Amino acid sequence: MDYQAFYRRSIDDPESFWGDQAELIDWHKPPQKILDQSNPPFRKWFVGGETNLCYNAVDRHLATRAEQPALIYLSSETGEEKQYTYAELHREVNRCAAIMRSLGVKQGERVVIYMPMIAEAIFCMLACARLGAVHSVVFGGFAAHNLALRIDDAKPCLLICADAGMRGGKAVPYKHLVDDAIKEAKFPPPKVLIVDRGLDPDMHWQDGRDVDYWDARDDFRDAEVPVTWLEANEPSYILYTSGTTGKPKGVQRDVGGYAVALASTMKYVYNANPGEAMFTTSDIGWVVGHSYIVYGPLLHGMTTIVYEGLPTKPDAGIWWKIVQDHKVTTMFSSPTAVRVLKKQDPAWLKKYDLSSLRYLFLAGEPLDETTSRWISDGLGVPVLDHYWQTETGWAMLSYLPGVELKPNRFGSPGFPAYGFNIRIVNDLTGEVCGPNEKGVLTVVPPLPPGCLSTVWGDDNRYVNSYFGQFEKQLLYSSSDWALRDADGYTFILGRTDDVINTAGHRLGTREIEEALQAHPAIAEVAVVGLHDEVKGQVPVGFCTVKDPALIADAAGREALEKSCIAKVAELLGAVAKPYKLHFVTALPKTRSGKLLRRSIQALAEGRETGDLSTLDDPNALEEIRKAVGR
Ligand code: ATP
Ligand code: MG
């Protein structure tokens, strides 16, 4: 297919384009109107159509794929391995829906899911969808306070959790965090459903509130729960953004638009086929998990691989062994995870038979050229970066191998995806930028199907946070810098709050980070701008190295710092030279693997670090504190 023609049609004639895509899913009642734009920036897709996500992900495959594996669960933490065919998945989801119904869950009610990566978590999500209830999955790594905030925002009638998760061989108790969160919450759920994995012998059960999943499941052995048909614009779920730049926003998603958008991406963005296996290494607590561990592959009749564990345990070959054993064709991971693997022996990438693998997709953070080359050379398969946000639910920029695969250009996540009328504009005037000119990446409304409908319970926040940046025109702002080169490849240059103003130059942290990444000794890097009396701001870098021996003593650190700074000067010019580089063993990241530049900067300047609720490893921040002498 010709990308230009395909893309143009999606923008010039969205009703006919998306009307065609709507046929990728089953409707109980077909849409009456494809697009309603009467109240911008809100928009409604597939108005009057009635459908159900669970029906489309599970029931409709029973006729042709009942015996095909739908979900393969693998835990390198507990050693558990389990397969569920579509027929078995259907049964489990029905039992789970029956349990929830017995606990009072109805259409429109919220259910908070706070769980590790276990198959039951996915049964619960699908069961919510079946009942028309709105799930709000909270990442299992969040502490009690974060959970309490999300409980109060969603006001659930039920919370579902496990006794514990496992990370690096250690049990991480969840249930007592739930108890603490419920104590703190103003709107505690009346019931708590617990999937007891037997990992926490000290777990406390509260009479009258806590319900044992396994007991209840026995009670509903052959239960069948009818699908609740929902108008396409009813809410399907709430999911909070990662909180990299401040207070997380509760992204609200619809039913019909999301189903159609995801089904279309399985063809055009991922070029995947029903019956094949998809392995997405994210977590159900993130948007990538919602879209490409749970709904996308199942809507498409694929087998989804659900993996609990680290990429390096029992060894750094575990992912590739999974690809080999389950003939994965489509894999989706993040640059952060690849950088973790980069510290390991590259021989692991060659140990297993990866002939089934068609593409490795990456998203979530800028993919620097060095990392991209390392993984694509190592695996010998195309590595395709794509760019999106929790808000959009699917890729805004992509190579679209299912439409027309253009040659990869390192550092670029590709071209605007169909449906996204992307415009790169000057951040102050809103005027369209020319080729290679840096601006803010925006989308001309309407946002395509699958993108957020609003911020949960806060329409004003939806309008103001996303559409309020430009006075003269209504544009969705991504809050990311971007540029488009003369051939149409788009590059993401970091977040709009990650800019350094030095001696009158505006430098993106991303560019300096990219240059440092090109140094062979460097594994990961964060660059922030620190206040300077003379220059306004100076760039300071924090780096981790592949071989710790290099920085074992002061002389080694000094030599490495010099050669790294020389590398930046060589690639970007003297103006971008970091003022100082600190070598640390870990960088502070959110639980979703994004660098917390904002907190590093605040700490280094002696200000309050702000909301650290999403911080993955507190030691990493401690190290920065020591490095900068605070
Ligand atoms: P919050 O909005 O709460 O601060 P967040 O933006 O980190 O959190 P997500 O929606 O998980 O939450 O992340 C989306 C952001 O991740 C994008 O806006 C962009 O900054 C970055 N990103 C995602 N994919 C890519 C990519 N392929 N290349 C560069 N950056 C990316
Ligand atoms: Mg964001």
Side-chain angles (χ1 to χ4, degrees):
M1 256 187 294
D2 175 53
Y3 162 76
Q4 266 309 327
F6 185 76
Y7 176 74
R8 278 312 337 157
R9 181 170 167 243
S10 76
I11 302 303
D12 298 339
D13 195 355
E15 298 214 37
S16 116
F17 180 90
W18 288 108
D20 287 353
Q21 302 306 324
E23 285 169 24
L24 292 170
I25 68 157
D26 286 5
W27 297 88
H28 179 63
K29 204 174 138 198
Q32 311 296 297
K33 189 171 171 45
I34 300 298
L35 171 63
D36 171 356
Q37 285 196 86
S38 54
N39 182 25
F42 298 91
R43 88 289 179 227
K44 288 181 174 172
W45 288 98
F46 311 117
V47 182
E50 285 180 9
T51 186
N52 182 286
L53 275 166
C54 177
Y55 178 85
N56 275 285
V58 185
D59 300 54
R60 71 159 167 163
H61 301 307
L62 293 179
T64 49
R65 315 188 171 274
E67 300 313 317
Q68 177 199 309
L71 191 161
I72 297 178
Y73 177 67
L74 304 159
S75 172
S76 63
E77 297 286 353
T78 63
E80 203 184 328
E81 281 205 37
K82 241 177 142 178
Q83 296 209 5
Y84 300 85
T85 63
Y86 271 97
E88 286 163 337
L89 178 63
H90 182 255
R91 192 151 59 240
E92 292 296 338
V93 170
N94 270 284
R95 291 170 87 168
C96 186
I99 299 171
M100 287 187 185
R101 195 173 55 178
S102 77
L103 296 173
V105 177
K106 291 192 200 69
Q107 179 182 344
E109 301 263 9
R110 276 79 55 212
V111 175
V112 167
I113 297 176
Y114 179 71
M115 287 182 124
M117 286 289 284
I118 54 177
E120 287 72 22
I122 292 165
F123 305 156
C124 293
M125 291 169 75
L126 291 166
C128 283
R130 190 172 197 84
L131 294 167
V134 178
H135 58 67
S136 176
V137 182
V138 177
F139 177 63
F142 282 135
H145 176 65
N146 305 305
L147 179 57
L149 291 177
R150 287 162 174 79
I151 289 174
D152 283 341
D153 198 55
K155 305 183 182 63
C157 69
L158 174 69
L159 186 148
I160 310 178
C161 69
D163 57 335
M166 285 267 269
R167 209 166 130 91
K170 280 194 227 75
V172 186
Y174 279 30
K175 173 56 174 36
H176 81 93
L177 296 177
V178 169
D179 291 334
D180 290 351
I182 288 182
K183 259 186 226 130
E184 185 184 328
K186 289 191 204 72
F187 300 94
K191 292 283 176 197
V192 177
L193 181 64
I194 302 155
V195 180
D196 187 0
R197 308 173 76 190
L199 295 175
D200 180 9
D202 301 326
M203 183 174 50
H204 159 81
W205 293 84
Q206 182 161 321
D207 269 357
R209 186 195 72 189
D210 295 353
V211 179
D212 184 307
Y213 180 86
W214 302 117
D215 285 351
R217 183 172 166 275
D218 284 342
D219 295 343
F220 293 104
R221 193 170 296 277
D222 300 309
E224 294 245 0
V225 177
V227 162
T228 301
W229 299 110
L230 300 168
E231 200 276 334
N233 294 279
E234 291 289 329
S236 58
Y237 68 73
I238 310 167
L239 178 64
Y240 295 87
T241 59
S242 308
T244 311
T245 53
K247 187 173 165 247
K249 297 170 276 280
V251 163
Q252 177 180 324
R253 197 91 67 207
D254 66 7
V255 176
Y258 189 52
V260 172
L262 288 188
S264 76
T265 62
M266 298 317 298
K267 285 176 68 175
Y268 306 126
V269 177
Y270 299 102
N271 199 16
N273 301 305
E276 295 177 349
M278 178 160 192
F279 177 22
T280 299
T281 68
S282 182
D283 187 283
I284 50 155
W286 312 125
V287 68
V288 173
H290 281 63
S291 291
Y292 296 110
I293 293 173
V294 185
Y295 292 111
L298 294 177
L299 285 167
H300 203 46
M302 297 180 76
T303 303
T304 184
I305 311 280
V306 179
Y307 172 67
E308 177 186 50
L310 303 173
T312 48
K313 289 257 163 76
D315 56 53
I318 178 67
W319 281 0
W320 318 113
K321 183 173 185 314
I322 291 174
V323 170
Q324 168 188 283
D325 291 355
H326 301 284
K327 300 202 170 44
V328 170
T329 61
T330 312
M331 188 164 167
F332 185 160
S333 189
S334 67
T336 317
V338 175
R339 283 183 207 117
V340 168
L341 293 178
K342 221 165 90 187
K343 293 186 200 163
Q344 312 279 330
D345 186 347
W348 287 113
L349 304 178
K350 299 275 183 225
K351 181 158 185 226
Y352 296 98
D353 174 7
L354 305 182
S355 55
S356 62
L357 193 61
R358 205 176 289 130
Y359 310 101
L360 170 65
F361 293 89
L362 298 175
E365 273 266 280
L367 175 62
D368 59 282
E369 177 166 345
T370 321
T371 302
S372 183
R373 275 190 201 281
W374 182 84
I375 188 78
S376 50
D377 291 351
L379 294 178
V381 301
V383 172
L384 302 181
D385 186 12
H386 59 335
Y387 160 84
W388 46 299
Q389 308 184 301
T390 306
E391 289 86 346
T392 63
W394 58 286
M396 308 161 79
L397 296 172
S398 158
Y399 280 92
L400 299 164
V403 180
E404 179 191 356
L405 184 57
K406 299 245 174 79
N408 191 54
R409 200 163 280 184
F410 283 108
S412 166
F415 305 89
Y418 51 96
F420 286 98
N421 188 0
I422 287 180
R423 206 177 265 179
I424 296 165
V425 303
N426 181 286
D427 57 323
L428 302 173
T429 63
E431 269 161 48
V432 180
C433 295
N436 294 314
E437 198 187 322
K438 175 171 166 177
V440 186
L441 189 142
T442 67
V443 183
V444 181
L447 294 176
C451 295
L452 80 169
S453 331
T454 185
V455 172
W456 174 255
D458 198 345
D459 285 349
N460 284 334
R461 195 163 177 214
Y462 169 77
V463 176
N464 299 333
S465 334
Y466 296 111
F467 294 91
Q469 190 176 344
F470 303 99
E471 244 170 54
K472 287 191 213 132
Q473 47 190 336
L474 209 51
L475 289 174
Y476 168 88
S477 171
S478 68
S479 299
D480 287 315
W481 295 115
L483 68 76
R484 194 175 284 169
D485 72 12
D487 302 318
Y489 286 84
T490 307
F491 293 77
I492 299 295
L493 306 174
R495 295 161 187 267
T496 50
D497 55 357
D498 290 337
V499 182
I500 300 174
N501 268 306
T502 186
H505 300 278
R506 274 152 66 90
L507 300 168
T509 52
R510 158 97 202 250
E511 289 125 293
I512 305 173
E513 285 170 5
E514 179 101 21
L516 287 166
Q517 284 279 4
H519 191 287
I522 298 300
E524 290 177 295
V525 39
V527 170
V528 298
L530 298 190
H531 179 72
D532 181 87
E533 289 298 329
V534 182
K535 295 184 168 168
Q537 274 186 317
V538 289
V540 171
F542 298 83
C543 311
T544 68
V545 292
K546 289 182 199 155
D547 176 8
L550 280 175
I551 51 160
D553 55 34
R557 282 195 294 275
E558 212 172 291
L560 184 59
E561 181 180 7
K562 259 207 180 124
S563 80
C564 286
I565 291 178
K567 188 85 199 169
V568 178
E570 173 200 326
L571 295 175
L572 296 179
V575 62
K577 274 198 323 201
Y579 178 75
K580 171 95 197 121
L581 293 182
H582 297 282
F583 297 101
V584 290
T585 58
L587 293 173
K589 290 182 209 140
T590 61
R591 295 302 305 250
S592 55
K594 294 169 199 290
L595 278 172
L596 278 166
R597 293 189 192 76
R598 185 176 44 93
S599 304
I600 299 176
Q601 184 191 37
L603 188 67
E605 290 185 340
R607 290 182 284 112
E608 272 292 303
T609 44
D611 179 15
L612 287 179
S613 54
T614 55
L615 182 67
D616 185 22
D617 171 11
N619 291 329
L621 211 57
E622 263 318 295
E623 251 194 281
I624 303 266
R625 197 190 297 279
K626 280 205 197 106
V628 298
R630 296 267 174 197

